[in-house]
Amino acid sequence: QDIRDCPGPLSALAELNAAVKEKFRQLRGRIQELEQMAKEQDKESEKQALLREVENHKKQMLSNQAAWRKANLACKIAIDNSEKDQLLQGRDSLRQRKTTKESLAESASNITESLMGISRMMSQQVQQSEETVQTLANSSRTILEANEEFKSMSGTIQLGRKLITKYNRRELTDKLLIFLALALFLATVLYILKKRLFPFL
């Protein structure tokens, strides 16, 4: 909107476009960093979620670039028409008025303030994009840390399961040994009773 409303001249529009190009370059770099981070994810669901976020940012950037081009075209047409009107009006009004140094300085000051405002706005937008990317990066790190904790807990659970299985086997072996010992004891008692009570058998 600021480019579309730029009053000119073309040099001011060129400076504004240069600032916009730089912001787009920075944003593109951030998106590439996020895409690389997504590709490095181990878990497929986390990878796909980050890739969808990257795709959304790319679509938004393409939409902004299309709007930027349209605004440039509209602004150039408006500046050309304005310059033509000024040339036509200048023939009649040049003899009646002269532009003072104060008015020129004021115009330059207004243009400078306008450009500074636009630059601040673009800087805020890039900062917001950086904060979004940083938030996604922090979320990814938190997910990775949680995943590592789950892996550690899974290993502990598996170790506990093995120990319980081992103890169950040992308990079964102990019961079997006790049963055999009891059977041997009873057999011994029966043998002794047999010899005492029925020595002739």
Side-chain angles (χ1 to χ4, degrees):
Q1 184 64 36
D2 291 328
I3 291 178
R4 188 185 297 274
D5 297 336
C6 179
L10 291 176
S11 58
L13 180 61
E15 292 177 0
L16 187 58
N17 280 324
V20 173
K21 287 180 181 178
E22 177 61 19
K23 300 302 180 182
F24 271 122
R25 187 190 65 81
Q26 295 176 3
L27 182 59
R28 191 179 297 108
R30 291 293 183 177
I31 292 175
Q32 290 176 351
E33 291 177 4
L34 181 61
E35 186 175 11
Q36 183 62 32
M37 183 184 301
K39 292 179 180 178
E40 294 173 355
Q41 300 302 311
D42 294 331
K43 198 171 182 180
E44 187 63 22
S45 59
E46 299 169 1
K47 179 179 179 180
Q48 292 301 324
L50 288 177
L51 287 176
R52 284 194 296 271
E53 194 68 25
V54 168
E55 196 62 28
N56 290 335
H57 282 297
K58 286 183 177 180
K59 290 180 180 178
Q60 183 63 39
M61 185 177 69
L62 290 175
S63 176
N64 290 338
Q65 288 176 337
W68 175 41
R69 287 191 290 268
K70 291 179 181 179
N72 263 290
L73 181 60
C75 183
K76 287 179 180 179
I77 293 174
I79 290 175
D80 289 339
N81 292 335
S82 176
E83 289 177 352
K84 290 177 181 178
D85 292 339
Q86 288 177 1
L87 287 174
L88 293 175
Q89 294 175 0
R91 294 177 180 177
D92 298 330
S93 61
L94 184 60
R95 297 175 182 178
Q96 300 176 359
R97 59 181 183 179
K98 295 181 180 180
T99 304
T100 62
K101 293 181 180 181
E102 290 80 5
S103 64
L104 290 174
E106 184 178 357
S107 298
S109 177
N110 292 335
I111 293 173
T112 302
E113 290 178 0
S114 177
L115 290 174
M116 290 178 63
I118 293 170
S119 178
R120 284 194 297 270
M121 181 192 70
M122 293 299 297
S123 177
Q124 290 174 356
Q125 290 178 350
V126 172
Q127 184 177 0
Q128 290 176 355
S129 298
E130 291 177 351
E131 291 175 355
T132 300
V133 172
Q134 186 63 35
T135 301
L136 289 173
N138 292 336
S139 300
S140 178
R141 281 195 293 269
T142 303
I143 292 172
L144 289 175
E145 291 174 358
N147 188 29
E148 291 298 327
E149 291 181 1
F150 285 140
K151 288 181 180 178
S152 177
M153 291 175 62
S154 177
T156 304
I157 291 172
Q158 289 179 357
L159 179 61
R161 186 178 301 163
K162 290 180 181 178
L163 290 174
I164 291 172
T165 303
K166 182 179 179 181
Y167 290 145
N168 288 336
R169 291 177 180 173
R170 183 171 295 178
E171 182 181 2
L172 181 60
T173 304
D174 292 342
K175 287 181 179 181
L176 182 59
L177 290 174
I178 293 172
F179 176 76
L180 292 175
L182 182 60
L184 181 61
F185 174 75
L186 292 175
T188 304
V189 171
L190 291 174
Y191 179 76
I192 294 172
L193 289 175
K194 177 183 175 184
K195 290 296 183 180
R196 293 288 182 89
L197 299 177
F198 308 101
F200 51 86
L201 292 180

